[in-house]
Amino acid sequence: MSTPAKASTKKEKKKPIPVKTSLNSPFTTQWSPLEREHKRLILNTLKAKLSAVGLQKQRVNRVREWGSKRRSRKKTSKPNEDQEPAPEPAESVQTPSKPTEPCWTNPAVRKQLAIGINEVTKGLERNELSLVLVCNSVRPEHMTCHLIPLSKTRSVPACQVPTLSETLAELLGLKCVLALGFKRGTEAFEDVVRTITPVVPPLDVSWFPTALKKKSKKTQSDTVKGQKRKLEEITDETSDASPVILHPLKVKKIIPNPSKIRKPKKKGK
């Protein structure tokens, strides 16, 4: 007698539906245009300062020797008792050792700069920068759009400089320089920040309080004329001078994910 096949008791697990979250903003942020004269001034000052400081990244050309590690392991694993270790030559001790890893010529000056989009973003989040310069050759363009509200809320002057990467990459010994930031209290680049800061155009962020006040002033001037606004002007001046306070985000309620597969807890024996 042939026994009937047992029905499968285990239920087939349903595959979770892939969910992708995306944050879309109704506001469009753009860099303020920079004049040609100001662009030349910024690039010339940066060139002169970096050449005077002599900051550059030293690259090391590594040549990998195939099979050298295996041979060295065999020699170390089976040493001969008769052979004595050869003494090291005196010339190797006296000669300076070449850098085996890429390093900077002046690490103290390098710490005063933030090079790259990631370093500039971290510096703005920690409020450590006094000036930010971005290259216009970034593709896609939205890679540097988040720096506009960050620098605006921290009251840090920032602008987009054309051909920034082409002019500074060779001086610094890098492939590209998409973003450059100067840290606060820098002794080496203090004069550079002073000369570039008044030339930087102001950023326009639509959801920022100052931009909203400008729009409201225009509407009031069209409707109301000839009224005294001494109190309003005083309040505007005080609010513009005071820095923006960022409050932390408070989560009211956490809802568990119903589609999450939870394993049953094992009872202790």
Side-chain angles (χ1 to χ4, degrees):
M1 296 291 292
S2 60
T3 57
K6 295 181 179 179
S8 59
T9 56
K10 293 183 179 179
K11 295 181 180 179
E12 294 180 355
K13 293 182 179 179
K14 294 181 180 179
K15 292 182 179 180
I17 300 167
V19 179
K20 293 182 180 180
T21 57
S22 62
L23 300 174
N24 297 325
S25 177
F27 304 104
T28 56
T29 54
Q30 293 180 354
W31 292 97
S32 301
L34 186 68
E35 297 180 3
R36 291 183 180 180
E37 297 178 356
H38 300 333
K39 170 203 161 186
R40 292 173 185 173
L41 189 141
I42 291 168
L43 294 176
N44 290 331
T45 51
L46 289 172
K47 275 184 185 178
K49 191 64 181 178
L50 290 173
S51 59
V53 172
L55 182 66
Q56 194 175 14
K57 190 173 184 179
Q58 295 178 348
R59 296 188 176 276
V60 179
N61 296 325
R62 296 179 182 177
V63 179
R64 188 172 180 180
E65 297 178 359
W66 296 98
S68 60
K69 290 184 178 180
R70 293 180 182 178
R71 291 170 188 172
S72 61
R73 285 176 186 174
K74 288 179 181 179
K75 288 179 181 179
T76 53
S77 61
K78 296 179 181 180
N80 295 327
E81 295 179 357
D82 299 334
Q83 294 179 356
E84 294 180 357
E88 295 180 357
E91 294 179 0
S92 63
V93 179
Q94 294 177 1
T95 56
S97 60
K98 294 182 180 180
T100 56
E101 295 182 357
C103 59
W104 292 87
T105 54
N106 196 343
V109 176
R110 173 64 181 87
K111 290 179 181 178
Q112 299 179 13
L113 293 173
I115 301 170
I117 297 171
N118 293 333
E119 288 189 17
V120 171
T121 305
K122 288 179 183 178
L124 285 171
E125 288 174 350
R126 297 170 185 173
N127 201 7
E128 295 176 353
L129 303 181
S130 60
L131 178 66
V132 174
L133 302 175
V134 179
C135 186
N136 66 340
S137 63
V138 182
R139 294 293 180 274
E141 296 179 355
H142 63 80
M143 287 179 66
T144 57
C145 286
H146 67 280
L147 299 176
I148 298 171
L150 277 174
S151 57
K152 184 72 174 178
T153 52
R154 271 72 175 174
S155 65
V156 176
C159 69
Q160 193 178 48
V161 183
T163 67
L164 180 72
S165 179
E166 296 175 3
T167 55
L168 300 183
E170 293 181 1
L171 291 171
L172 295 172
L174 299 171
K175 293 181 181 179
C176 62
V177 181
L178 300 179
L180 183 67
F182 300 90
K183 294 189 178 180
R184 297 182 186 274
T186 56
E187 297 177 357
F189 299 97
E190 188 176 358
D191 54 348
V192 175
V193 175
R194 285 179 182 176
T195 54
I196 295 174
T197 300
V199 175
V200 174
L203 295 172
D204 186 14
V205 181
S206 55
W207 53 264
F208 200 70
T210 54
L212 295 172
K213 285 175 185 177
K214 288 178 182 177
K215 291 180 181 179
S216 63
K217 282 180 182 178
K218 288 180 181 178
T219 53
Q220 287 177 3
S221 62
D222 294 335
T223 54
V224 182
K225 291 182 180 181
Q227 293 182 358
K228 293 181 180 180
R229 302 181 202 171
K230 292 182 179 180
L231 293 173
E232 290 182 2
E233 290 176 359
I234 292 164
T235 53
D236 291 339
E237 289 175 359
T238 53
S239 62
D240 291 338
S242 62
V244 178
I245 299 167
L246 301 175
H247 297 284
L249 181 66
K250 294 180 181 180
V251 180
K252 293 183 179 180
K253 190 176 181 182
I254 298 170
I255 301 169
N257 187 6
S259 62
K260 186 177 180 181
I261 299 168
R262 293 176 175 80
K263 294 180 180 179
K265 294 181 179 178
K266 294 182 180 179
K267 295 181 180 179
K269 294 180 181 180

